[in-house]
C-alpha cells in the first residue's frame, strides 16, 4: 500500500531525469551537427573569427579616449555597420558596403535639404512638411525595391536610403546640430565599411566568383558521372558485370540532383561576383553571366537524366537480348558525351581552348549515329525470327526505345548550348 | 569656309541634346516599367503606402513633446525598427519582428551580465573582458547562422543578437546608465514592431500562406494546360486541325517553366506561412510542408513535359500514319491526366475531398492501358504490309515511341505522389 504513495515523487523525479536527458541529447546532437559543419568547411569557421575580429577592432573606438572623443556616441554606427555589412564572400560585403555608403549619402543630403525647406516655412508647417516628405519618399523608395533590376543590385541601398532619410529628417526636428549628426553618421559608417572591406579582402578572402566557378565545374563533373552511371545502371542489370560498391554508385547517380537545385545559388553568386575587383585569374570584366547560361544548359541536361532515371526505375523492362543489342553503342554514346562534358569542365578550369574538344564532339556525334544505326536495325532483328515469336517481346520493346532515344537526346540537346557557351568563355579567357 | 568653324559648337550642342534625350528616354522607360509593375499588382503599391504610413505614425514620437520626453533620442530605434522589419507579407513581418524582439532581449540580458562581471574585475581588465566576450559571442552567433535549421528561421535574430550584444556591452564602457539604455532600446523596439504588426495585419494584409496557396493552384492549372498543349502540339502537325492563335498557345505551352523555377519562392513562402496566425480558411497548424511536397511532385511532372517538349522540337519526326494510330489514345491519356491535375487543383482550392477524383484517376489509368494496348498493336501494323515496305518507317518510329512512353510516364509518375499529398491535405482541411 505504500508503493502507490511513493510513486508520484519517483515518477516526477524520473520524468525530470528523462526530460533533462532528452534535452542534453538534443543539445549534443545540435553541437555535433555544428561541429560536422565546421569540419566540412573550415572557411566558415574562419569567417566567424573574422567577424569577431572586426567587431573587436571597431570597439576600440570606445576603449581609446582620444578616438572616442572624436566620434562620441556615434561610434555605435560603426559597430552596427560592421555587424550588418560583413558577409561571407567578398562580393557580398562589397555590394552591401557600397549600397550602404551611397544610400546614406544620398538620403543625408536630401534630408538636410528637406529640413532646410521645412525650417524656412514656420513652426506650424514644419512637422507637416517633414511628415509628408517622409511618407512620399519612403513609399517611392519601397516601390523601387519591387522593380527587378533594382531589387537584384540595390535592394539594400534602397532600405538604407529610407532609414537614413527618415532618421535625419525626423530627428532634425529635435536635434540642433543636424549637419554634425549627418556628418558623424556618414564618417562612422565609412570607417565601419572600410574596416569590413579590409578584413574581408585581406584575411583568407572568399571570393564569390571563385565559389561560382568551383560550383560550375564541380556540377559539370557530377553531371558527367551521373550520365555515365545512369546508362551503365540501365544496361548492367543484363550482364551484372558492372556491380561496384552500392553506396558510392548511388551517390554518383544522384549527382545530377545538385545541378537541378543549384539555380538560386548560381544567380546570387554571379550577382555578387560582378561587384568584385580583379582577383586571381578573374579579370574585372569577367563574363559572369556566361556561367549562368552554362548552369541553365546543365540543368536542361539534368532534366534528361531525370527522365532517363524514370525509365530505369520503371517496372517495364526490356528483354535481355534487345538490351544487349544496343548496350554497346549506348554505352559508347554516354561515355563519349560524358567525356565531352568533362573536357568542357577542364576547359573552364584551365581557361584555355582545348584542342581535343572538337575531336571529342566529333567522336560523340559518330557514336550517336552508330546508335541510331543500331536502332534502325531493330526491325530486322524482330522480323528475322519466326513471326509468332517476335510479337511477344514487342510490347516491352518500347521501354528501351524510350530510354535509348532519351540517351541520345541529352547529348544532342546539351552539346549545342554547352559548346557555344563554353567556346564564348574560352575565347574571352 | 565658315561652316567648319560653326561645327564644334553645334556638335557639342547636338551631343548634349542627344545625351539629354537618351537620358530622358531611359528614365521614361524605367518609369513605364514601374507603372506596369504597379498596374500588374496593385497590392505592391498598397504595401508601399503602408510603409509610408507606418513611418509617418512612428515619427509622431518626435513631433509630440510628451511622447518625446518619454523615450528621448532613442525614438530613433522605433523608426529603424519599422524600416527594417516591415515586409511585404504578414508572415515575413511577424518572423522578423519576433526575431528582433527575442534577439534584443536575450542579447541585452547577456550584455548586462557581462558588463557587471567586467565592472567587478577592475579598470584594467574591463576592456579585455568585454572585448573577448564580444569576440567569442559574435563568432559563435555568426557560426550558428550557417546551420541550416537556424538559418531558415532565426537568421535575422542571430544578427540582431550580435548587434545588440556588442552595442550594449561596448557602450557600457562609456555610458553610465546602462540599464536605462537597454530598457529604452527594448521598449522602442517593441513599440516599432507592434506598430508594424498592427499595420501589416489590419491594412489590406498580404498573407504568405494565401500567396503560397494561390501559387500552387495556379501552377497546377498551368501544368495541366501545358501537358494538354504539348501532346496536342505533337499530334497537331499531322492533322493541322488544332491550330489556334499562336501566341496564346505558346504561352500555355511554356506554362510548365513557371513550375520549374518556382522552387525558391515556394520554400520562402512556406517558411513565412508557418509564422502566421490563423486567417481565412487556414488554421494555425495548417500543413504548409505538404505544399512543398506538392510543389516537388509538380516539378517532377514538369521535367517530363520538358523531355516531351524536346521530342516535339526534335528534327526526327514520326511518319503520319503512326502518329494517327496512337494520337487518339495519347490525347485521351493527356486530357485525362490533365483533368486529374485540374481536379486536384479544385480539391485544394475548395479544401474538400473530391468525389470525382477516384473516378478520374480510374479513367486515366484505363486510358493509359488503352494507349499501351495501342502500342502493343504496333508490330502487327508493321508486319501486316509487305516486309519491304515496313522497314523504311521503322527508323523513325522510335521518336513517337519515346514521346509516347514519356506521355505515359508523367501521369504515372505524378499521380502517385500528388494523390497522396493531396489526400493528406484534404483529410486535414
Amino acid at each position: 500500500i505504500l508503493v502507490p504513495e511513493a510513486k508520484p515523487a519517483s515518477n516526477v523525479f524520473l520524468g525530470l531525469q528523462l526530460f533533462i536527458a532528452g534535452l542534453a541529447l538534443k543539445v549534443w546532437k545540435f553541437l555535433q551537427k555544428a561541429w560536422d559543419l565546421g569540419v566540412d568547411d573550415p572557411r566558415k569557421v574562419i569567417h566567424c573569427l573574422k567577424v569577431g575580429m572586426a567587431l573587436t577592432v571597431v570597439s576600440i573606438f570606445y576603449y581609446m579616449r582620444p578616438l572616442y572623443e572624436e566620434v562620441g556616441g556615434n561610434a555605435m554606427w560603426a559597430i552596427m555597420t560592421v555587424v550588418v555589412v560583413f558577409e561571407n564572400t567578398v562580393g557580398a560585403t562589397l555590394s552591401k558596403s557600397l549600397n550602404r555608403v551611397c544610400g546614406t549619402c544620398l538620403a543625408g543630403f536630401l534630408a538636410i535639404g528637406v529640413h532646410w525647406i521645412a525650417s524656412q516655412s514656420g513652426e506650424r508647417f514644419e512637422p507637416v512638411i517633414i511628415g509628408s516628405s517622409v511618407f512620399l519618399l519612403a513609399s517611392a523608395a519601397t516601390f523601387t525595391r519591387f522593380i527587378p533590376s533594382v531589387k537584384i543590385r540595390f535592394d539594400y541601398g534602397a532600405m538604407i536610403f529610407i532609414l537614413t532619410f527618415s532618421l535625419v529628417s525626423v530627428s532634425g526636428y529635435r536635434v540642433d546640430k543636424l549637419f554634425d549628426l549627418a556628418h558623424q553618421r556618414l564618417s562612422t559608417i565609412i570607417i565601419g565599411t572600410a574596416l569590413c572591406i579590409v578584413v574581408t579582402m585581406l584575411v583568407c578572402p572568399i571570393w564569390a566568383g571563385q565559389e561560382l566557378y568551383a560550383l560550375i565545374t564541380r556540377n559539370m563533373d557530377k553531371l558527367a558521372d551521373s550520365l555515365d552511371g545512369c546508362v551503365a545502371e540501365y544496361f548492367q542489370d543484363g550482364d551484372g558485370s558492372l556491380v561496384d560498391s552500392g553506396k558510392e554508385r548511388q551517390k554518383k547517380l544522384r549527382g545530377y540532383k545538385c545541378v537541378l537545385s543549384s539555380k538560386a545559388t548560381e544567380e546570387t553568386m554571379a550577382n555578387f561576383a560582378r561587384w568584385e575587383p580583379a582577383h586571381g585569374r578573374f579579370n574585372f570584366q569577367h563574363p559572369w553571366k556566361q556561367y549562368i547560361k552554362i548552369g541553365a544548359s546543365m540543368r536542361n541536361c539534368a532534366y534528361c537524366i531525370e527522365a532517363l532515371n524514370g525509365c530505369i526505375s520503371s517496372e517495364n523492362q526490356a528483354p535481355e537480348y534487345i538490351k544487349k543489342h544496343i548496350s554497346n553503342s549506348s554505352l559508347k554514346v554516354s561515355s563519349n558525351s560524358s567525356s565531352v562534358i568533362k573536357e568542357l569542365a577542364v576547359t573552364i578550369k584551365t581557361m584555355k581552348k582545348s584542342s581535343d574538344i572538337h575531336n571529342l564532339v566529333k567522336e560523340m556525334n559518330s557514336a550517336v549515329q552508330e546508335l541510331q544505326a543500331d536502332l534502325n536495325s531493330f526491325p530486322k532483328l524482330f522480323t528475322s525470327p519466326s513471326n509468332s515469336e517476335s510479337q511477344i517481346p514487342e510490347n516491352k520493346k518500347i521501354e528501351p526505345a524510350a530510354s535509348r532515344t532519351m540517351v541520345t537526346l541529352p547529348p544532342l540537346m546539351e552539346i549545342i548550348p554547352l559548346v557555344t557557351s563554353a567556346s564564348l568563355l574560352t575565347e574571352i579567357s
Side-chain angles (χ1 to χ4, degrees), chain A residues 321 379-390:
Chain A
Y321 69 96
K380 285 173 207 154
L381 206 84
F382 287 114
T383 45
S384 55
S386 70
N387 252 358
S388 60
E389 260 189 57
S390 71

Side-chain angles (χ1 to χ4, degrees), chain A residues 62 68 71-77 184:
Chain A
Y62 272 93
Y68 185 73
V71 291
N74 283 309
M76 151 182 109
W77 292 109
Q184 276 188 340

Side-chain angles (χ1 to χ4, degrees), chain A residues 117-354:
Chain A
I117 292 171
S119 64
Q120 301 297 76
S121 58
E123 207 165 298
R124 271 187 64 195
F125 288 106
E126 204 178 334
V128 178
I129 290 178
I130 294 178
S132 51
S133 75
V134 166
F135 178 81
L136 283 178
L137 273 169
S139 300
T142 309
F143 189 73
T144 60
R145 292 175 73 187
F146 282 117
I147 299 169
S149 55
V150 176
K151 191 179 173 61
I152 293 174
R153 306 188 72 173
F154 307 113
D155 188 51
Y156 185 68
M159 197 178 86
I160 290 296
F161 175 84
I162 303 171
L163 182 61
T164 308
F165 182 78
S166 17
L167 273 188
V168 173
S169 67
V170 169
S171 54
Y173 190 64
R174 292 286 168 192
V175 178
D176 297 325
K177 293 177 180 171
L178 187 65
F179 200 77
D180 278 7
L181 181 89
H183 170 249
Q184 276 188 340
R185 181 163 147 74
L186 189 63
S187 60
T188 44
I189 283 178
I190 288 176
I191 290 170
T193 50
L195 182 72
C196 280
I197 292 173
V198 166
V199 170
T200 197
M201 279 173 74
L202 294 187
V203 185
C204 305
I206 301 172
W207 303 95
Q210 182 70 44
E211 294 291 292
L212 174 64
Y213 170 79
L215 180 74
I216 291 278
T217 48
R218 200 168 55 232
N219 274 352
M220 273 182 139
D221 283 339
K222 274 185 189 168
L223 198 63
D225 281 343
S226 288
L227 182 60
D228 255 357
C230 258
V231 179
E233 171 97 5
Y234 186 70
F235 293 107
Q236 169 237 314
D237 292 4
D239 14 1
S241 62
L242 284 161
V243 184
D244 54 54
S245 52
K247 268 203 172 174
E248 191 65 20
R249 213 188 51 214
Q250 275 299 315
K251 209 178 151 195
K252 261 193 184 177
L253 277 184
R254 296 278 161 270
Y256 72 94
K257 299 254 182 203
C258 297
V259 181
L260 287 182
S261 59
S262 64
K263 191 189 172 203
T265 322
E266 278 167 25
E267 275 169 8
T268 42
M269 285 294 176
N271 182 33
F272 289 144
R274 279 194 286 170
W275 293 89
E276 289 177 352
H279 60 278
R281 291 171 300 166
F282 305 100
N283 297 325
F284 182 60
Q285 292 279 334
H286 197 74
W288 297 114
K289 282 195 173 174
Q290 296 297 332
Y291 285 92
I292 293 183
K293 279 185 199 160
I294 296 177
S297 50
M298 282 205 293
R299 230 162 292 124
N300 269 332
C301 184
Y303 296 151
C304 293
I305 299 181
E306 169 87 32
L308 180 58
N309 233 346
C311 284
I312 291 178
S313 53
S314 134
E315 67 266 17
N316 292 2
Q317 287 295 335
E320 289 311 315
Y321 69 96
I322 294 182
K323 274 193 179 179
K324 265 194 187 149
H325 181 65
I326 54 157
S327 77
N328 274 335
S329 47
S330 305
L331 284 173
K332 207 172 167 189
V333 168
S334 77
S335 72
N336 274 330
S337 51
S338 70
S339 68
V340 167
I341 298 179
K342 275 183 184 161
E343 183 66 29
L344 284 177
V346 170
T347 311
I348 295 181
K349 266 179 209 156
T350 56
M351 291 198 182
K352 271 178 198 147
K353 209 157 187 170
S354 160

Side-chain angles (χ1 to χ4, degrees), chain A residues 372-384:
Chain A
Q372 276 184 332
D374 265 9
L375 297 180
N376 293 350
S377 67
F378 253 129
K380 285 173 207 154
L381 206 84
F382 287 114
T383 45
S384 55

